[in-house]
Amino acid sequence: MVFRVLGPLDIEVDGRAVPLQGARQRTLMSMLLLAPDRVVSVDALAEAVWDGSPPATARNQLAICVSALRKTFKKAAGLDDVLVTSHPGYMLNTGEHRIDAAEFEQSAALGREAARAGRPQEACAHFQDALAMWRGPALEGVLAGRVEAEAGRLDSLRCDVYEEYAGLRIGLGQHRQLLSELRAFIHENPLREQAIAHLMLAQYRSGRRAEALGTYRSGRLRLAEELGIDPGPALQDLYELILADAPELGAAAPAVTVSAGPAVPTQLPPPVASFTGRRTEIALLGALLGKVGGGALPVGFVVGAGGVGKTALAVRWAHQVAPRFPDGRLFADLRGYDEEEAPRRPGAVLDGFLRALGVTAPQIPADQNERADLFRNILDGRRVLIVLDNARSFSQIRSLLPGTGQCCVLVTGRDAMAGALAGDYAVESLNLGALDENESAALLARVAGDGRLAADPAGAARISALCDRLPLALRIAAARLAAKPHWSVGTLVRRLEDQRRRLDELSPDERGVRASLRLSYRYLAPGAARMFRLLGLLCVPDFAAWAGAALLDIEPAEAEDLVEELVDAQLLEPLSAGTDGQVRYRFQELPRLFARECAYAEESEGDRRDAVRRVYGGWMGLARQAHRRIYGGDFTVVRNPSALHPLPERLVENLLDNPVGWFESERAAIAALVEQAAQDDGAASYAWGLTSFSVTFFQGGNYLEDWRRCAELSLDAVRRAGDPSGEAAMLHSLSTLDIVQWDYDGARERQGLALRLFEEQGERQGCALVLRNTAMCERHQGDLDRAAGTGRESLENFRAVGDLYGEAYMLGLLAQIELERGEAAVSLQLSAEAIVRGRALGSKRGEAQSSVRLAEALTGLGEGARAEEACRRALELVRESGDRRGEAHALRALGEALWGQDRMAEAESVVLEGLSVAREVPDRFLEGRAAAVLGCLLAIRGDRPGALERLRTAARLFADVGAGRRWRERAERLLGAVDMSGPDGAGGGAGAPPDPEELFALVKP
């Protein structure tokens, strides 16, 4: 399509006119054509269309107008992407279409460039091409005030170009040919002093001195009448020179020189003064030099997000290696991502390169392919460095690549293009990331220019983090500090920490962070753009592509493609695959804030809410399935009313092949999502549901801080929402955590509140869970008889509601209680029954726990071999499921079983392994239990100092974690039994060795 605004508005497709219907469509199209590839807000469009007084329905009427235009273009050209909806309005997507105003400005710029370089004939050719595009006043007939103002700017540019053109022609001796042209121009533009001066000089050089003086007097009179001013100094000076017949007004034309040999272009822009670091990256680019002179052309790619410093790095490296390229250095900004101007066409870039290499204008072919052939021929055998900055696509650079390996090309861009060249060129690709902490601090200090940042290294580090260590953002932040000498570093930190204002702080003008991100966003396909903005609503540190499928309610494969588009656009960062095999992705914080802005601007409140709720439901559905795989069903959790978002069965199977591994990958995301849901009105049930399903994993991985934070946030949320079931569930969860952390008083207080709420709701399974915890508290506080009674009440409730896992667990707990009551035979029977229940459920975790309890009962009955068999089965189960805490329990119990068989060396080795696993979890109580057993084993083999050290460690660990009085007393009694032969308690005397049976009895529960 060809769009013409340099005259009446005109649109053509393949030479056929495209008619517009009415003034409204013409005004709207004019506004968009005056800002190609830039978003024009709905407010600006409404003001133009209705001349400053838009009706209340303006937004809807504009949408109808845009829709009609789209249908027109679809019908005329088969195109549906010319007009694009983009917050906060609409944008004309130029693509490969032509706009005469853009071509006019491009030709004018080439003319000025040639004029500056001392090539007046070439400059005149460009100016002539530019002026030939005009068909009358810009957008003639479009009467909207805003359009007329911008059209006036274009008309003024036309006058400027004509005056420059006329000045060059006078210098080339064409003054006689210009006389009538300049008279006509001044008749239309009587107040243009530069044109008056040109006409005076042309008249004087044509021998018409009196006419020149008359032209001055007429011009002075018009200026006085219409503006009330005198001519400017330049015009007055020219008048005086003409009066005096000054010699410098002679008509000698400048000589046109021709280069005696091939030109050596040096087009590199100056390096950035504040450039910092990047030593590793510069060294990596150095690999290109080793490939110069080989058979294939060396092509390097520096790819990265907007503002990461690609151009600065490329220019710095190019200057460093410039001596290696004695035949010249070419540079072109391809404007692949530019808010003001369209991407440069390869033909125009080739034109500039060829002229820089000494080719005169008449020798440059009009056809782009012919230009590319000539470019390659000229460079054949020459050693030239070519830097192609800000490339949009491979098609934009294809014609700009030489055909010789003597040259070297370095390309910068946001999209990865190296794959398109692989095999044909010697490619080196560098994905440029953020600066490291030291580089960030150095850049901040260099730009800020005073000692404030050096005096506050913590504040400087915080600013670096808030800027994503992105050079563009860091420079802006440091410049703000430099411009505000009365600010402290903390002042800037506080301003940046406000997420609602951070992009504003880092976007002081059109070159700021928001503009850089917008340039990447505007080129996204509609599906990828929606994925980007909806992902910005998630407050998770990282995620897998299936989360995007839930957000958009699409198939996972389609979601993965869209997410990868965002990676290619440098708006997302890929991470290594998680333990579930899924590639994970993350936002830097600034792109996430921009995506969130876009979501709030372009998505309705209902669409935002529905998308986020689908994500909650997707994560919660997977957490539920992971829980079911561990427990064999929906056991040990209270029923949650939240709607789950279904994911394809095959995907779920792949994700949850290893439930513990999946949770390790998702743990941080789940914790963040619980926090988000807890703060989201109406989503409290998702918060407490996710927490409930995740407790097993929080406990198994010893992520107790995550557990507590999730439960407390969820508890606050359900209380605000008036959800008694959720409140009871979270009180129960926190009571379980209290028990794990040995806070029995806190646990009992929560249990009472939770039990009352569950009873009021008729939630018998919740009652069973609370009674189970109560029995555990009573057991640890030494009230074994009461613990047994409460435990059996809990067991009855579990059986009544059909919670098979809860039943199996309670049988195991009762087995433990009976063992501690001295009823080993009863304990053995209960343990065996628990194992049968767990095995029937297919619950490896439940079977393993019960097997360890069975082993302890068998060890207490002196049946070490059977105890060993049970422990080895438990080890097999916990290692299959990745339960490290369970592994520490099983290894300690196996050590005791081996000790009971007098296999002391094996026992010591196994317990040492258990101690190591307990430290890795980490679980200080388990570490203390293993240390106590190991201390006994060391004492038996005569290493009393080592034994005392281990037992003291156990006593300290029991005290540190707040273990019950029973465990602390047991550690003290073991210490007393071992340290019985020396007056200083160091075991240095010659007393009798400790009694193994006594130690064995003391170490057992």
Side-chain angles (χ1 to χ4, degrees), residues 53 182 238 262 313 424 479 527 562 695 713 863:
S53 301
L182 284 168
L238 178 60
L313 173 64
D424 297 325
L562 295 177
V695 162
L713 286 169
E863 297 190 37

Side-chain angles (χ1 to χ4, degrees), residues 425-483:
Y425 299 88
V427 175
E428 290 287 337
S429 186
L430 170 63
N431 200 322
L432 192 62
L435 297 172
D436 65 29
E437 292 184 9
N438 292 332
E439 291 171 338
S440 299
L443 177 57
L444 285 170
R446 181 171 296 180
V447 176
D450 59 24
R452 280 175 289 173
L453 287 161
D456 188 356
R462 182 60 180 151
I463 291 173
S464 296
L466 292 168
C467 292
D468 287 343
R469 301 203 303 275
L470 188 73
L472 172 63
L474 291 167
R475 287 191 180 95
I476 292 171
R480 297 216 66 191
L481 202 59

Side-chain angles (χ1 to χ4, degrees), residues 275-396:
F275 184 87
T276 303
R278 301 298 196 191
R279 294 180 181 176
T280 301
E281 291 83 355
I282 288 176
L284 290 172
L285 289 177
L288 284 170
L289 299 178
K291 298 179 180 182
V292 174
L297 173 70
V299 182
F301 286 90
V302 179
V303 181
V308 80
K310 301 181 293 297
T311 301
L313 173 64
V315 171
R316 174 57 65 99
W317 180 79
H319 276 285
Q320 288 183 2
V321 302
R324 300 283 296 271
F325 299 92
D327 296 319
R329 281 77 62 191
L330 295 169
F331 178 92
D333 179 2
L334 302 183
R335 298 198 300 257
Y337 292 88
D338 193 292
E339 194 157 18
E340 298 297 327
E341 300 183 71
R344 293 188 69 185
R345 293 184 174 89
V349 178
L350 283 168
D351 180 88
F353 280 174
L354 288 170
R355 294 175 192 274
L357 290 165
V359 182
T360 61
Q363 294 173 308
I364 298 175
D367 182 75
Q368 178 178 305
N369 293 328
E370 293 179 7
R371 288 183 182 183
D373 290 340
L374 178 60
F375 180 60
R376 286 190 286 268
N377 287 335
I378 291 173
L379 292 184
D380 188 27
R382 299 178 68 178
R383 193 177 286 256
V384 174
L385 173 64
I386 303 166
V387 179
L388 303 175
D389 187 39
N390 202 16
R392 180 73 180 88
S393 64
F394 173 60
S395 64
Q396 194 182 21

Side-chain angles (χ1 to χ4, degrees), residues 620 623 640 642 684-694 714 730:
M620 188 165 155
N640 185 282
S642 301
S685 62
Y686 286 107
W688 74 260
L690 265 172
T691 301
S692 295
F693 288 128
S694 302
S714 298
M730 289 301 94

Side-chain angles (χ1 to χ4, degrees), residues 393-553:
S393 64
F394 173 60
S395 64
Q396 194 182 21
I397 68 169
R398 188 201 317 263
S399 301
L400 308 178
L401 301 178
T404 170
Q406 298 295 320
C407 294
C408 180
V409 179
L410 182 60
V411 184
T412 75
R414 302 189 186 189
D415 294 327
M417 289 175 272
L421 280 73
D424 297 325
Y425 299 88
V427 175
E428 290 287 337
S429 186
L430 170 63
N431 200 322
L432 192 62
L435 297 172
D436 65 29
E437 292 184 9
N438 292 332
E439 291 171 338
S440 299
L443 177 57
L444 285 170
R446 181 171 296 180
V447 176
D450 59 24
R452 280 175 289 173
L453 287 161
D456 188 356
R462 182 60 180 151
I463 291 173
S464 296
L466 292 168
C467 292
D468 287 343
R469 301 203 303 275
L470 188 73
L472 172 63
L474 291 167
R475 287 191 180 95
I476 292 171
R480 297 216 66 191
L481 202 59
K484 300 285 186 179
H486 54 286
W487 280 10
S488 68
V489 174
T491 301
L492 182 57
V493 168
R494 285 192 299 274
R495 295 174 73 94
L496 291 175
E497 282 182 334
D498 185 346
Q499 289 193 1
R500 296 166 299 178
R501 296 186 53 184
R502 190 179 310 163
L503 284 176
D504 293 333
E505 295 288 337
L506 298 175
S507 304
D509 55 33
E510 69 278 2
R511 295 167 296 172
V513 172
R514 183 183 280 111
S516 177
L517 291 166
R518 185 167 57 243
L519 290 175
S520 292
Y521 176 64
R522 67 190 281 190
Y523 285 106
L524 293 175
R530 188 160 197 255
M531 176 68 79
F532 172 71
R533 57 182 178 261
L534 290 181
L535 283 171
L537 297 173
L538 302 183
C539 301
V540 295
D542 54 62
F543 54 88
W546 66 259
L551 265 178
L552 270 65
D553 197 15

